[in-house]
Amino acid sequence: LFGECLINVRSRREKAEIYNIKIILYTHQGKYGESVALGRQALKLFGVHIPARPGKTSILLEYIESRLLRIWRRFAGTSSIEDLFHLRPMTDPDQLAVMGVLNNLPAPSYYFDKNMFALVNLKMLNSSLRYGNTDVSSFAYATYGMILSGVFGDFDTGFKFGKLALRLNEKYGNVALKNKPPFVFYTFVSHWKRHAAPDVDALREIFQLSLKGGDLVYAANTLLSIVIKIIARGNNLDAVLKEVSEYDDFLNRIKDQDSQRAVAVAKQMVL
């Protein structure tokens, strides 16, 4: 059926939409490698080529491009990170289609290949800096904040990009994206600059948002983040065990094996 649909549509943008459906389906089934492969095929329709197994050189080149684009934006009048909020909207239909495909790849690539995850997110960022903002840009800015903080130790800049992501996410109000930039910010960015305690309450809200939106992948990832945060902040161990145990039923029902294993390890740590 998937192959027939691709044959029967003519435009590459329509084909990209079909690829997106298949990518999301495979991601929910835990077929992360297949999801990434489909994404690479979809991007080729637009002349965007991503290596099957990106090396550090590919990531470094994309990161250097992001720095050059930020310098160009400053010369063009966007003097601060906060000013990126006011970039003109992305309007090119092909670039919007590319961003749509890229937006579906962080979740599977995170489990499949961390280098792929970094490269995909840097490409989203660079498209936003070059062509303007779209709703997907909020996720790109959030993951850029994650990379700056976690990889380069630039906590101040990473935090600013994270806050920019939250503002942009609120501006566009895309229900399908409502949970994703906040998940990245409160899981990977926020704690570098402030106490982690407020993160847990924010992540509980993100979990509910994910459930309401039917995004079981991010719901499971959010639960795992909550478990890590409540252990790290030194909660009473009995309370931690009680809360962690409450998540077992949900993870068993959706059969998210990666999160199940991680939560099982967390329970053993508490015990």
Side-chain angles (χ1 to χ4, degrees):
L1 180 60
F2 174 66
E4 290 179 10
C5 289
L6 286 176
I7 292 172
N8 290 327
V9 297
R10 293 185 177 181
S11 79
R12 56 186 178 181
R13 292 194 293 273
E14 289 176 315
K15 289 183 178 181
E17 286 301 317
I18 295 170
Y19 272 109
N20 281 332
I21 294 169
K22 193 72 170 180
I23 291 167
I24 293 169
L25 176 63
Y26 274 6
T27 300
H28 281 278
Q29 293 175 344
K31 298 178 180 178
Y32 305 125
E34 290 93 330
S35 295
V36 171
L38 286 170
R40 291 178 61 242
Q41 291 173 28
L43 292 170
K44 281 182 182 179
L45 297 172
F46 302 91
V48 178
H49 298 278
I50 294 181
R53 289 286 185 175
K56 292 180 179 177
T57 301
S58 297
I59 298 169
L60 181 60
L61 289 173
E62 204 73 30
Y63 173 72
I64 291 172
E65 184 175 344
S66 75
R67 296 300 300 266
L68 292 174
L69 284 168
R70 285 172 59 191
I71 293 170
W72 169 64
R73 279 295 179 186
R74 282 199 290 272
F75 278 113
T78 307
S79 58
S80 69
I81 292 169
E82 290 78 8
D83 288 340
L84 292 173
F85 180 83
H86 302 292
L87 287 184
R88 61 181 175 81
M90 185 183 295
T91 56
D92 182 271
D94 284 350
Q95 290 303 321
L96 288 168
V98 168
M99 287 290 277
V101 175
L102 288 171
N103 179 55
N104 286 320
L105 294 180
S109 64
Y110 183 81
Y111 289 107
F112 176 68
D113 183 339
K114 296 296 191 294
N115 284 348
M116 180 71 75
F117 173 80
L119 185 61
V120 163
N121 286 295
L122 286 170
K123 281 190 174 294
M124 278 199 292
L125 170 80
N126 290 340
S127 290
S128 299
L129 292 175
R130 183 179 287 109
Y131 299 108
N133 283 333
T134 179
D135 50 359
V136 177
S137 301
S138 60
F139 189 78
Y141 292 136
T143 52
Y144 191 55
M146 168 186 169
I147 291 168
L148 290 173
S149 299
V151 177
F152 294 99
D154 189 351
F155 307 130
D156 290 335
T157 307
F159 190 84
K160 288 178 181 177
F161 269 100
K163 296 295 286 185
L164 168 65
L166 297 184
R167 287 180 63 207
L168 205 61
N169 196 42
E170 287 297 320
K171 174 184 176 180
Y172 282 99
N174 185 332
V175 175
L177 283 168
K178 196 74 173 174
N179 59 326
K180 294 178 181 178
F183 166 79
V184 175
F185 178 74
Y186 289 109
T187 297
F188 299 106
V189 180
S190 175
H191 58 263
W192 294 109
K193 287 288 292 179
R194 62 188 188 188
H195 197 280
D199 295 351
V200 175
D201 291 334
L203 287 165
R204 289 185 180 121
E205 292 181 12
I206 294 164
F207 172 67
Q208 294 301 325
L209 275 175
S210 300
L211 287 184
K212 289 177 183 177
D215 193 340
L216 300 183
V217 172
Y218 270 85
N221 288 341
T222 303
L223 285 186
L224 181 56
S225 181
I226 290 171
V227 169
I228 293 170
K229 293 270 185 177
I230 60 177
I231 291 175
R233 74 180 188 179
N235 283 27
N236 176 275
L237 292 182
D238 289 334
V240 171
L241 183 60
K242 182 177 182 296
E243 182 163 356
V244 171
S245 298
E246 290 172 355
Y247 301 145
D248 281 341
D249 181 58
F250 172 78
L251 294 174
N252 288 333
R253 279 189 285 116
I254 67 171
K255 296 181 170 60
D256 188 299
Q257 296 181 353
D258 293 308
S259 295
Q260 283 177 311
R261 284 192 290 267
V263 170
V265 170
K267 287 176 69 176
Q268 288 299 316
M269 288 172 58
V270 174
L271 293 171

